[in-house]
Short mmCIF file of all heavy atoms in Angstrom, two decimals:
data_model
loop_
_atom_site.label_atom_id
_atom_site.label_comp_id
_atom_site.label_asym_id
_atom_site.label_seq_id
_atom_site.Cartn_x
_atom_site.Cartn_y
_atom_site.Cartn_z
N ILE R 165 5.79 -12.47 3.95
CA ILE R 165 6.80 -13.52 4.08
C ILE R 165 7.28 -13.60 5.60
O ILE R 165 7.47 -12.64 6.20
CB ILE R 165 8.02 -13.10 3.17
CG1 ILE R 165 7.60 -13.17 1.66
CG2 ILE R 165 9.29 -14.00 3.42
CD1 ILE R 165 8.53 -12.62 0.79
N PHE R 167 9.72 -15.91 8.52
CA PHE R 167 11.03 -16.67 8.56
C PHE R 167 10.84 -18.01 8.14
O PHE R 167 11.84 -18.63 7.64
CB PHE R 167 11.53 -16.62 10.03
CG PHE R 167 12.26 -15.33 10.43
CD1 PHE R 167 12.14 -14.77 11.69
CD2 PHE R 167 12.97 -14.59 9.44
CE1 PHE R 167 12.82 -13.66 11.99
CE2 PHE R 167 13.65 -13.46 9.75
CZ PHE R 167 13.53 -12.90 11.03
N SER R 168 9.66 -18.58 8.28
CA SER R 168 9.48 -19.97 7.91
C SER R 168 9.66 -20.19 6.36
O SER R 168 9.85 -21.28 5.90
CB SER R 168 8.18 -20.49 8.41
OG SER R 168 7.12 -19.68 7.85
N ASP R 169 9.51 -19.07 5.63
CA ASP R 169 9.71 -19.15 4.15
C ASP R 169 11.23 -19.13 3.82
O ASP R 169 11.52 -19.53 2.70
CB ASP R 169 9.12 -17.95 3.45
CG ASP R 169 7.59 -18.02 3.61
OD1 ASP R 169 6.99 -19.05 3.24
OD2 ASP R 169 6.97 -17.00 4.05
N VAL R 170 12.06 -18.83 4.78
CA VAL R 170 13.40 -18.86 4.46
C VAL R 170 14.04 -20.12 5.12
O VAL R 170 14.02 -20.24 6.34
CB VAL R 170 14.16 -17.59 5.06
CG1 VAL R 170 15.63 -17.58 4.60
CG2 VAL R 170 13.39 -16.38 4.68
N ALA R 171 14.54 -21.00 4.35
CA ALA R 171 15.01 -22.26 4.79
C ALA R 171 16.53 -22.10 5.00
O ALA R 171 17.19 -21.27 4.33
CB ALA R 171 14.81 -23.41 3.85
N GLY R 172 17.09 -22.90 5.98
CA GLY R 172 18.46 -22.84 6.31
C GLY R 172 18.77 -21.43 6.84
O GLY R 172 17.93 -20.79 7.45
N GLU R 173 20.04 -20.95 6.71
CA GLU R 173 20.42 -19.61 7.12
C GLU R 173 20.05 -19.32 8.54
O GLU R 173 19.54 -18.32 8.92
CB GLU R 173 19.76 -18.53 6.18
CG GLU R 173 19.99 -18.73 4.71
CD GLU R 173 21.35 -18.80 4.29
OE1 GLU R 173 22.27 -18.44 5.14
OE2 GLU R 173 21.64 -19.06 3.16
N LYS R 177 19.05 -15.83 10.65
CA LYS R 177 17.71 -15.61 11.20
C LYS R 177 17.76 -15.34 12.71
O LYS R 177 17.04 -14.63 13.22
CB LYS R 177 16.86 -16.98 10.97
CG LYS R 177 16.26 -17.06 9.59
CD LYS R 177 15.12 -18.05 9.54
CE LYS R 177 15.66 -19.36 9.03
NZ LYS R 177 14.59 -20.37 8.86
N LEU R 206 23.37 -7.45 5.40
CA LEU R 206 23.31 -8.87 5.00
C LEU R 206 24.30 -9.01 3.84
O LEU R 206 24.21 -8.35 2.87
CB LEU R 206 21.90 -9.21 4.53
CG LEU R 206 20.80 -9.03 5.49
CD1 LEU R 206 19.44 -9.10 4.82
CD2 LEU R 206 20.84 -10.01 6.60
N VAL R 207 25.35 -9.84 4.04
CA VAL R 207 26.31 -10.04 2.94
C VAL R 207 26.35 -11.54 2.56
O VAL R 207 26.18 -12.43 3.38
CB VAL R 207 27.73 -9.57 3.40
CG1 VAL R 207 27.81 -8.13 3.65
CG2 VAL R 207 28.14 -10.38 4.68
N GLY R 208 26.51 -11.69 1.31
CA GLY R 208 26.59 -13.09 0.77
C GLY R 208 26.46 -13.07 -0.67
O GLY R 208 26.07 -12.06 -1.29
N PRO R 209 26.81 -14.25 -1.33
CA PRO R 209 26.65 -14.30 -2.73
C PRO R 209 25.24 -14.08 -3.27
O PRO R 209 24.26 -14.22 -2.44
CB PRO R 209 27.10 -15.72 -3.08
CG PRO R 209 27.42 -16.36 -1.85
CD PRO R 209 27.20 -15.51 -0.68
N PRO R 210 25.01 -13.84 -4.50
CA PRO R 210 23.70 -13.57 -5.06
C PRO R 210 22.82 -14.83 -4.88
O PRO R 210 23.29 -15.96 -4.93
CB PRO R 210 23.92 -13.29 -6.52
CG PRO R 210 25.35 -13.08 -6.63
CD PRO R 210 26.11 -13.74 -5.56
N GLY R 211 21.63 -14.60 -4.73
CA GLY R 211 20.58 -15.68 -4.62
C GLY R 211 20.50 -16.51 -3.41
O GLY R 211 19.96 -17.58 -3.32
N THR R 212 21.15 -16.03 -2.30
CA THR R 212 21.16 -16.87 -1.11
C THR R 212 20.04 -16.42 -0.19
O THR R 212 19.92 -16.97 0.95
CB THR R 212 22.54 -16.67 -0.39
OG1 THR R 212 22.83 -15.28 -0.35
CG2 THR R 212 23.60 -17.49 -1.03
N GLY R 213 19.24 -15.46 -0.64
CA GLY R 213 18.08 -15.13 0.16
C GLY R 213 18.16 -13.81 1.03
O GLY R 213 17.47 -13.69 1.96
N LYS R 214 19.04 -12.92 0.69
CA LYS R 214 19.23 -11.75 1.44
C LYS R 214 17.99 -10.87 1.33
O LYS R 214 17.45 -10.40 2.39
CB LYS R 214 20.45 -10.93 0.89
CG LYS R 214 21.77 -11.67 1.04
CD LYS R 214 22.94 -10.86 0.69
CE LYS R 214 22.92 -10.56 -0.88
NZ LYS R 214 23.03 -11.73 -1.72
N THR R 215 17.55 -10.66 0.10
CA THR R 215 16.37 -9.81 -0.07
C THR R 215 15.16 -10.55 0.63
O THR R 215 14.31 -9.89 1.32
CB THR R 215 15.97 -9.63 -1.51
OG1 THR R 215 17.25 -9.13 -2.16
CG2 THR R 215 14.88 -8.63 -1.72
N LEU R 216 15.10 -11.77 0.46
CA LEU R 216 14.04 -12.64 1.12
C LEU R 216 13.98 -12.49 2.64
O LEU R 216 12.97 -12.26 3.26
CB LEU R 216 14.18 -14.08 0.70
CG LEU R 216 13.12 -15.05 0.98
CD1 LEU R 216 11.90 -14.77 0.12
CD2 LEU R 216 13.51 -16.44 0.79
N LEU R 217 15.22 -12.49 3.22
CA LEU R 217 15.36 -12.41 4.72
C LEU R 217 14.82 -11.05 5.17
O LEU R 217 14.11 -10.96 6.21
CB LEU R 217 16.76 -12.61 5.11
CG LEU R 217 17.22 -14.01 5.38
CD1 LEU R 217 18.74 -14.12 5.53
CD2 LEU R 217 16.61 -14.52 6.73
N ALA R 218 15.22 -10.00 4.38
CA ALA R 218 14.79 -8.67 4.78
C ALA R 218 13.23 -8.54 4.85
O ALA R 218 12.62 -7.98 5.67
CB ALA R 218 15.41 -7.61 3.88
N LYS R 219 12.70 -9.17 3.78
CA LYS R 219 11.20 -9.12 3.68
C LYS R 219 10.64 -9.84 4.76
O LYS R 219 9.59 -9.51 5.32
CB LYS R 219 10.78 -9.67 2.30
CG LYS R 219 11.02 -8.73 1.17
CD LYS R 219 10.48 -9.23 -0.06
CE LYS R 219 10.66 -8.39 -1.25
NZ LYS R 219 10.63 -9.03 -2.56
N PHE R 265 14.93 -0.81 4.33
CA PHE R 265 15.78 -1.83 3.66
C PHE R 265 16.40 -1.25 2.40
O PHE R 265 15.76 -0.85 1.50
CB PHE R 265 14.97 -3.07 3.36
CG PHE R 265 15.74 -4.08 2.59
CD1 PHE R 265 16.97 -4.60 3.03
CD2 PHE R 265 15.27 -4.60 1.43
CE1 PHE R 265 17.68 -5.51 2.37
CE2 PHE R 265 15.96 -5.61 0.79
CZ PHE R 265 17.19 -6.02 1.22
N ASP R 267 18.46 -2.26 -0.59
CA ASP R 267 18.98 -3.46 -1.30
C ASP R 267 20.22 -3.01 -2.18
O ASP R 267 20.25 -1.89 -2.60
CB ASP R 267 17.93 -4.09 -2.18
CG ASP R 267 18.08 -5.57 -2.33
OD1 ASP R 267 19.19 -6.02 -1.95
OD2 ASP R 267 17.22 -6.21 -2.80
N GLU R 268 21.15 -3.94 -2.45
CA GLU R 268 22.32 -3.65 -3.30
C GLU R 268 22.90 -2.33 -2.88
O GLU R 268 23.12 -1.41 -3.67
CB GLU R 268 21.89 -3.58 -4.75
CG GLU R 268 21.00 -4.67 -5.21
CD GLU R 268 21.54 -6.07 -5.24
OE1 GLU R 268 22.83 -6.11 -5.11
OE2 GLU R 268 20.87 -7.04 -5.49
N ALA R 313 21.55 -4.90 2.05
CA ALA R 313 22.14 -6.13 1.50
C ALA R 313 23.13 -5.83 0.48
O ALA R 313 23.02 -4.81 -0.27
CB ALA R 313 21.02 -7.06 0.91
N THR R 314 24.14 -6.70 0.34
CA THR R 314 25.15 -6.48 -0.71
C THR R 314 25.82 -7.84 -1.04
O THR R 314 25.90 -8.68 -0.07
CB THR R 314 26.17 -5.42 -0.33
OG1 THR R 314 27.14 -5.34 -1.36
CG2 THR R 314 26.95 -5.85 0.97
N ASN R 315 26.21 -8.01 -2.18
CA ASN R 315 27.18 -9.13 -2.36
C ASN R 315 28.60 -8.73 -2.61
O ASN R 315 29.42 -9.48 -3.07
CB ASN R 315 26.61 -10.06 -3.47
CG ASN R 315 25.99 -9.39 -4.62
OD1 ASN R 315 26.51 -8.29 -5.05
ND2 ASN R 315 24.85 -9.86 -5.10
N VAL R 336 25.21 -14.29 4.86
CA VAL R 336 24.22 -15.22 4.30
C VAL R 336 24.90 -16.07 3.26
O VAL R 336 25.10 -15.59 2.19
CB VAL R 336 23.07 -14.39 3.69
CG1 VAL R 336 21.91 -15.28 3.22
CG2 VAL R 336 22.51 -13.32 4.73
N GLU R 337 25.33 -17.26 3.65
CA GLU R 337 26.14 -17.98 2.79
C GLU R 337 25.42 -19.04 1.90
O GLU R 337 24.15 -19.18 2.10
CB GLU R 337 27.21 -18.85 3.67
CG GLU R 337 28.27 -17.96 4.31
CD GLU R 337 29.25 -17.42 3.24
OE1 GLU R 337 29.15 -17.77 2.08
OE2 GLU R 337 30.06 -16.57 3.66
N PRO R 339 23.95 -22.41 0.86
CA PRO R 339 23.53 -23.49 1.74
C PRO R 339 24.37 -24.73 1.64
O PRO R 339 24.74 -25.05 0.54
CB PRO R 339 22.01 -23.69 1.29
CG PRO R 339 22.05 -23.26 -0.07
CD PRO R 339 23.00 -22.19 -0.25
N GLY R 343 20.99 -27.50 4.39
CA GLY R 343 20.28 -26.24 4.00
C GLY R 343 19.63 -26.40 2.61
O GLY R 343 18.48 -25.98 2.47
N ALA R 346 16.47 -28.37 2.97
CA ALA R 346 15.39 -27.59 3.54
C ALA R 346 14.83 -26.55 2.53
O ALA R 346 13.56 -26.36 2.52
CB ALA R 346 15.93 -26.82 4.83
N ILE R 347 15.60 -25.97 1.82
CA ILE R 347 15.13 -25.00 0.80
C ILE R 347 14.28 -25.72 -0.27
O ILE R 347 13.24 -25.21 -0.67
CB ILE R 347 16.32 -24.31 0.12
CG1 ILE R 347 17.05 -23.36 1.16
CG2 ILE R 347 15.81 -23.34 -1.04
CD1 ILE R 347 18.33 -22.72 0.68
N LEU R 348 14.77 -26.91 -0.68
CA LEU R 348 13.96 -27.62 -1.63
C LEU R 348 12.57 -27.99 -1.09
O LEU R 348 11.58 -27.87 -1.74
CB LEU R 348 14.66 -29.00 -2.01
CG LEU R 348 15.86 -28.83 -2.95
CD1 LEU R 348 16.61 -30.16 -3.07
CD2 LEU R 348 15.43 -28.42 -4.32
N VAL R 350 10.91 -26.25 1.27
CA VAL R 350 10.11 -25.05 1.28
C VAL R 350 9.44 -24.76 -0.10
O VAL R 350 8.25 -24.50 -0.09
CB VAL R 350 10.98 -23.85 1.73
CG1 VAL R 350 10.28 -22.56 1.48
CG2 VAL R 350 11.21 -23.92 3.28
N HIS R 351 10.24 -24.88 -1.07
CA HIS R 351 9.69 -24.59 -2.47
C HIS R 351 8.85 -25.62 -2.99
O HIS R 351 7.90 -25.41 -3.64
CB HIS R 351 10.86 -24.23 -3.44
CG HIS R 351 11.43 -22.89 -3.13
ND1 HIS R 351 10.87 -21.71 -3.52
CD2 HIS R 351 12.48 -22.53 -2.30
CE1 HIS R 351 11.59 -20.65 -3.09
NE2 HIS R 351 12.62 -21.17 -2.35
N LYS R 354 5.12 -25.61 -2.31
CA LYS R 354 4.18 -24.79 -3.04
C LYS R 354 3.74 -25.39 -4.35
O LYS R 354 2.93 -24.85 -5.04
CB LYS R 354 4.87 -23.48 -3.37
CG LYS R 354 5.31 -22.61 -2.16
CD LYS R 354 6.12 -21.38 -2.59
CE LYS R 354 6.85 -20.81 -1.29
NZ LYS R 354 8.06 -20.12 -1.74
N SER R 374 22.69 -22.20 -5.17
CA SER R 374 22.20 -21.22 -4.27
C SER R 374 20.73 -21.36 -4.02
O SER R 374 20.10 -22.27 -4.74
CB SER R 374 22.43 -19.81 -4.73
OG SER R 374 21.61 -19.56 -5.87
N GLY R 375 20.20 -20.74 -3.10
CA GLY R 375 18.70 -20.78 -2.84
C GLY R 375 17.96 -20.46 -4.01
O GLY R 375 16.86 -21.12 -4.34
N ALA R 376 18.37 -19.48 -4.77
CA ALA R 376 17.59 -19.04 -5.92
C ALA R 376 17.65 -20.18 -6.98
O ALA R 376 16.59 -20.45 -7.72
CB ALA R 376 18.14 -17.71 -6.53
N GLU R 377 18.78 -20.82 -7.16
CA GLU R 377 18.89 -21.92 -8.06
C GLU R 377 17.96 -23.10 -7.72
O GLU R 377 17.42 -23.74 -8.50
CB GLU R 377 20.32 -22.35 -8.21
CG GLU R 377 21.16 -21.27 -9.06
CD GLU R 377 22.64 -21.44 -8.90
OE1 GLU R 377 23.12 -22.23 -8.08
OE2 GLU R 377 23.34 -20.77 -9.61
N LEU R 378 17.95 -23.33 -6.40
CA LEU R 378 17.20 -24.46 -5.91
C LEU R 378 15.66 -24.18 -6.14
O LEU R 378 14.86 -25.03 -6.57
CB LEU R 378 17.36 -24.68 -4.38
CG LEU R 378 18.78 -25.20 -4.11
CD1 LEU R 378 19.10 -25.14 -2.67
CD2 LEU R 378 18.92 -26.64 -4.60
N ALA R 379 15.30 -22.93 -5.95
CA ALA R 379 13.90 -22.54 -6.25
C ALA R 379 13.60 -22.71 -7.74
O ALA R 379 12.57 -23.20 -8.06
CB ALA R 379 13.68 -21.07 -5.89
N ASN R 380 14.65 -22.40 -8.55
CA ASN R 380 14.44 -22.65 -9.94
C ASN R 380 14.41 -24.10 -10.32
O ASN R 380 13.65 -24.50 -11.17
CB ASN R 380 15.74 -21.98 -10.62
CG ASN R 380 15.52 -21.82 -12.12
OD1 ASN R 380 14.40 -21.98 -12.58
ND2 ASN R 380 16.66 -21.64 -12.85
P1 ADP I 1 19.58 -12.32 -2.88
O1 ADP I 1 18.88 -11.07 -2.53
O2 ADP I 1 20.40 -12.88 -1.82
O3 ADP I 1 20.36 -12.21 -4.17
P2 ADP I 1 16.92 -13.34 -3.10
O4 ADP I 1 16.54 -13.04 -1.63
O5 ADP I 1 16.41 -12.35 -3.95
O6 ADP I 1 18.48 -13.47 -3.20
O7 ADP I 1 16.47 -14.77 -3.41
C1 ADP I 1 15.93 -15.09 -4.68
C2 ADP I 1 14.94 -16.20 -4.50
O8 ADP I 1 15.62 -17.42 -4.18
C3 ADP I 1 13.94 -15.98 -3.40
O9 ADP I 1 12.88 -15.29 -3.84
C4 ADP I 1 13.63 -17.41 -3.03
O10 ADP I 1 12.58 -17.90 -3.86
C5 ADP I 1 14.82 -18.16 -3.31
N1 ADP I 1 15.65 -18.40 -2.07
C6 ADP I 1 16.94 -17.97 -1.89
N2 ADP I 1 17.32 -18.36 -0.67
C7 ADP I 1 16.32 -18.99 -0.04
C8 ADP I 1 16.27 -19.64 1.17
N3 ADP I 1 17.22 -19.66 2.09
N4 ADP I 1 15.05 -20.27 1.45
C9 ADP I 1 14.07 -20.20 0.59
N5 ADP I 1 14.15 -19.66 -0.66
C10 ADP I 1 15.28 -19.07 -0.93
#
Side-chain angles (χ1 to χ4, degrees):
I165 293 170
F167 278 146
S168 57
D169 292 309
V170 188
E173 310 300 351
K177 277 197 266 185
L206 304 167
V207 296
T212 46
K214 297 183 293 298
T215 308
L216 191 69
L217 270 167
K219 286 184 181 157
F265 175 52
D267 209 352
E268 316 290 351
T314 179
N315 37 41
V336 186
E337 288 291 352
I347 294 173
L348 284 171
V350 163
H351 286 278
K354 297 175 197 155
S374 70
E377 282 162 356
L378 292 166
N380 193 15

